[in-house]
Amino acid sequence: MVLAEDLALLRDGMIRLLDAHHIEVVAAVDNGPSLVREAVQHRPDLAIVDVRLPPSFTDEGIRAALEARQQLPDLPVLVLSQYVEQLYARELLAQGTGGVGYLLKDRVSDIAGFVDTVRRVAAGGTAMDPEVIATLLSRQGSRSPIAALTPRETEVLSLMAEGRSNAAIAAAMFVTEKAVGKHTNSIFGKLGLQQSDDDNRRVLAVLAFLESAPH
Amino acid sequence: MKGMSISTMPDPDRAQDSFPVQATHPAPSRWQLFGYCVARVIWRFLGIALIVLLAVSLATIVIWIGLVLTNISLLLLRKYAAVERRISGRILGTDIPDPHSARRKRGLAGLGERLTDPATWREMIWLLEVTTVGLALNLAAFFGYIVLPVGYWISPLLLRMDAAINRTLLEPKEAELRERISTLEGSRARSVDHSAAELRRIERDLHDGAQARLVAAGMDIGLAESLLDADPAKARELMAQARGTTRDALADLRSLVRGIHPPVLADRGLLGGIESLAIASPVSVSLDGALPGRPPAPVEAAFYFGIAEAMTNATKHSGAQTISIWLEHSDGVLHVQVVDDGVGGAVVAPGGGLAGIASRLEAFDGTLAVVSPHGGPTVVTMAARCELTPAEGVAR
């Protein structure tokens, strides 16, 4: 994978961490444009990107991630940040394809969980930070299909947004996998998502979740 | 840009340096003077029409149509005087400053303010002068130009005389300048107070939040270190606890930074900030308007927090179903309006959130007004004069 992080302290720490879990970092850069270049050159299984990067020190990382995905549409991207912004989550997911992760940097300190997320996103999954979901759930609006979901279904959807599989959701909610399957089908139905590749529908469901906010 | 080339492009870094310096213009050529003279003869007859309009408006002010008429004619008078101020300035080769006080409400709400502004009354007196003596001077200059040899010498003199009278009547008076200074002193004191209070709050938040948590995490790690051999299970538990504590410390820091300058605002400007507020809002939000560039960072932040405060009030207290935000930058002034369809009855309570925003805006000569009758709707209007700098990353 390739890594873009401008603070040497965090960059080196991340390389050590990934190395210890047999994930090879083929290129580590400290700015947005280099990330796009390296990604195109190495065609990695995953790009990990910090949001705030030189030269602009604003949302450079988001823009670099989107740019890299435009050039390599299947490139999985995991964006890390000191803050999570629903706005950026929506932009990252807007293409409607998987292989997108957006996490708070502190999640890295849960090593096992983080490595798991890295592998999941590299495999084409989606992983939204629980905080993105928490903010969305704190709204009590009734103006979207999301409002039609039962509390149980909303819970399933937020776990889905974090990128968990049906089995993992079942374990977290202390129910059977079959029950989770029933919930997810009901969610897809209420959000008007037709039968298709299950993975893709999961992304679209999460996107609908984020889209339930106005533009 | 190298060398000594002089650029006419507005340079945002330089704009502030040159601001306090009074601008001067090259003296107009004789042809320009002649042009001004001809245009002004017509312009001054329009002034007579304006007198009639003003007289009718003021006479009918007791009935509502008079209020509207007065408001319109005062605005016209102000524009009319502004044009004269500019042309007279050109003739004299200098700028004539605008004496109107900076407080400005839009529409009928501003009528009282306009009527009590001494500059307005001086403009009315000036209007009488300019349509009589001024008109005569101008006509004399005009006929002077027709009788060429006389006009060549006399007319420019007459025009300068007229411009000098205009300047005397139209420029700010000492009393007004003094009032302006005391307004500025007041608002400066308030913004210094405000930022001192903010710094104290930040210090306290850091001390009680992130700092305390890091100390606790350090203690846990130290204890874990000493227990590593004797009680590995306990040591592991302490390490996990320390990790949790650092996570809480980061969460504290994050919310603190959001309160100082939200990252999305820094990244995406005011529109991005509003969009982000809208996503997090439980009621539906519509945004109307555009910003062709970015206001200076402190102005942007003041507006952002003003909008955030208005939205929070609407959601928490008014039971609003929808919030509409309207935004416009025209004539160098940024206007933002937040309207909700809630129950109304909102006030700017001293020491409250909106009062804080008002004093923040005051530092840039900005204003905040709340109109919120019982039964709604609530309209929060903010305005501040600011230059926009075209910035990449705003338009997407």
Side-chain angles (χ1 to χ4, degrees):
Chain A
M1 51 145 282
V2 295
L3 170 69
E5 161 68 66
D6 62 321
L7 299 175
L9 184 69
L10 297 180
R11 190 171 57 229
D12 296 345
M14 187 80 78
I15 295 174
R16 264 202 309 278
L17 191 161
L18 292 168
D19 226 32
H21 289 83
H22 314 293
I23 299 171
E24 189 198 352
V25 178
V26 290
V29 299
D30 61 2
N31 65 72
S34 310
L35 171 86
V36 179
R37 215 168 35 243
E38 294 294 332
V40 170
Q41 197 198 327
H42 291 287
R43 313 224 156 212
D45 297 326
L46 175 72
I48 298 184
V49 191
D50 178 21
V51 168
R52 190 165 292 189
L53 287 177
S56 70
F57 287 105
T58 57
D59 55 349
E60 192 74 32
I62 299 280
R63 282 184 269 167
L66 292 174
E67 161 96 36
R69 270 170 80 85
Q70 213 146 49
Q71 300 200 14
L72 302 168
D74 297 326
L75 174 72
V77 174
L78 175 57
V79 176
L80 296 179
S81 174
Q82 299 279 22
Y83 314 92
V84 291
E85 266 304 330
Q86 277 72 22
L87 186 61
Y88 298 165
R90 195 162 75 186
E91 286 174 12
L92 286 168
L93 284 174
Q95 287 156 320
T97 52
V100 177
Y102 184 37
L103 289 186
L104 272 179
K105 270 189 187 165
D106 4 339
R107 309 287 173 210
V108 178
S109 68
D110 171 13
I111 313 283
F114 177 68
V115 170
D116 187 42
T117 306
V118 167
R119 295 195 194 281
R120 229 167 35 217
V121 173
T126 316
M128 285 294 120
D129 195 275
E131 200 170 286
V132 176
I133 316 298
T135 316
L136 292 176
L137 286 179
S138 69
R139 308 177 318 193
Q140 290 128 27
S142 55
R143 56 203 160 85
S144 71
I146 299 294
L149 301 182
T150 65
R152 210 76 175 136
E153 286 164 357
T154 314
E155 201 180 338
V156 171
L157 182 56
S158 23
L159 289 167
M160 207 149 84
E162 286 173 27
R164 308 217 197 172
S165 64
N166 279 6
I169 294 172
M173 291 177 64
F174 306 107
V175 294
T176 62
E177 215 180 312
K178 215 176 123 199
V180 173
K182 242 173 69 189
H183 282 314
T184 51
N185 275 331
S186 162
I187 294 170
F188 294 153
K190 284 182 182 173
L191 297 182
L193 300 171
Q194 300 308 315
Q195 281 296 329
S196 70
D197 173 18
D198 189 56
D199 269 353
N200 195 38
R201 270 203 300 178
R202 293 172 91 88
V203 177
L204 292 175
V206 175
L207 188 59
F209 201 14
L210 293 163
E211 292 271 325
S212 63
H215 288 258
Chain B
M1 197 169 64
K2 284 180 182 168
M4 289 297 291
S5 69
I6 294 167
S7 166
T8 50
M9 289 288 288
D11 180 347
D13 295 334
R14 288 293 174 80
Q16 280 186 327
D17 295 350
S18 62
F19 179 64
V21 179
Q22 183 144 45
T24 51
H25 305 285
S29 69
R30 276 177 199 281
W31 279 111
Q32 274 171 321
L33 272 179
F34 177 65
Y36 287 143
C37 176
V38 175
R40 251 177 165 186
V41 170
I42 303 161
W43 181 245
R44 297 240 157 129
F45 278 110
L46 284 177
I48 295 175
L50 188 55
I51 290 185
V52 175
L53 180 63
L54 266 169
V56 172
S57 318
L58 288 172
T60 53
I61 202 158
V62 282
I63 55 172
W64 71 271
I65 185 87
L67 284 175
V68 178
L69 274 180
T70 308
N71 201 30
I72 294 171
S73 47
L74 285 184
L75 279 176
L76 284 176
L77 172 63
R78 189 168 171 171
K79 295 262 181 224
Y80 188 84
V83 170
E84 285 276 358
R85 215 173 267 126
R86 199 162 62 229
I87 295 179
S88 299
R90 281 287 149 80
I91 293 175
L92 295 172
T94 175
D95 269 346
I96 302 174
D98 189 326
H100 288 277
S101 46
R103 294 169 266 131
R104 216 168 299 158
K105 290 183 192 147
R106 277 159 89 84
L108 273 180
L111 182 58
E113 209 167 78
R114 263 171 232 130
L115 275 174
T116 51
D117 188 350
T120 306
W121 291 97
R122 275 216 325 281
E123 274 172 2
M124 288 193 202
I125 293 166
W126 161 83
L127 189 61
L128 292 177
E129 183 275 333
V130 89
T131 46
T132 49
V133 180
L135 180 61
L137 281 172
N138 239 282
L139 280 174
F142 179 68
F143 289 116
Y145 276 118
I146 292 173
V147 191
L148 209 64
V150 187
Y152 191 84
W153 301 109
I154 306 284
S155 293
L157 263 179
L158 290 174
L159 287 173
R160 277 201 193 96
M161 210 158 104
D162 175 56
I165 296 173
N166 273 353
R167 172 154 82 173
T168 319
L169 289 174
L170 287 178
E171 76 185 351
K173 288 288 159 287
E174 204 188 337
E176 278 154 17
L177 290 176
R178 208 169 280 149
E179 186 206 312
R180 172 97 185 108
I181 288 172
S182 80
T183 314
L184 286 178
E185 275 172 348
S187 80
R188 191 183 59 176
R190 272 186 297 279
S191 41
V192 169
D193 279 356
H194 177 75
S195 32
E198 275 289 280
L199 286 176
R200 273 198 303 280
R201 183 185 64 80
I202 292 165
E203 190 274 332
R204 208 172 42 236
D205 283 0
L206 279 174
H207 181 267
D208 299 350
Q211 232 170 359
R213 289 187 202 280
L214 287 175
V215 170
M219 279 170 10
D220 283 345
I221 293 171
L223 196 55
E225 208 174 16
S226 65
L227 285 176
L228 213 50
D229 295 322
D231 189 352
K234 179 75 186 162
R236 183 169 297 138
E237 190 188 312
L238 283 168
M239 292 300 275
Q241 190 177 317
R243 189 156 60 82
T245 312
T246 58
R247 206 168 45 222
D248 293 344
L250 283 170
D252 274 353
L253 288 174
R254 259 198 302 278
S255 77
L256 189 63
V257 168
R258 267 189 213 284
I260 302 170
H261 199 80
V264 70
L265 182 63
D267 294 352
R268 295 289 174 85
L270 195 52
L271 290 181
I274 295 174
E275 206 175 335
S276 155
L277 287 172
I279 293 179
S281 163
V283 301
S284 107
V285 180
S286 66
L287 171 65
D288 184 19
L291 262 189
R294 287 184 71 160
V299 180
E300 198 173 67
F303 273 96
Y304 172 87
F305 284 111
I307 294 167
E309 184 69 28
M311 284 174 70
T312 310
N313 290 346
T315 331
K316 276 199 185 147
H317 310 303
S318 86
Q321 293 298 309
T322 57
I323 297 175
S324 7
I325 300 172
W326 168 85
L327 165 155
E328 179 192 69
H329 187 268
S330 60
D331 298 334
V333 179
L334 176 59
H335 294 278
V336 173
Q337 220 163 41
V338 183
V339 183
D340 73 65
D341 60 356
V343 295
V347 287
V348 185
L354 285 175
I357 302 297
S359 80
R360 256 181 110 148
L361 281 167
E362 212 178 10
F364 320 104
D365 263 346
T367 54
L368 178 142
V370 178
V371 179
S372 180
H374 283 280
T378 299
V379 182
V380 178
T381 310
M382 288 170 277
R385 183 165 287 282
C386 63
E387 298 273 324
L388 298 185
T389 32
E392 54 111 29
V394 173
R396 277 178 296 129

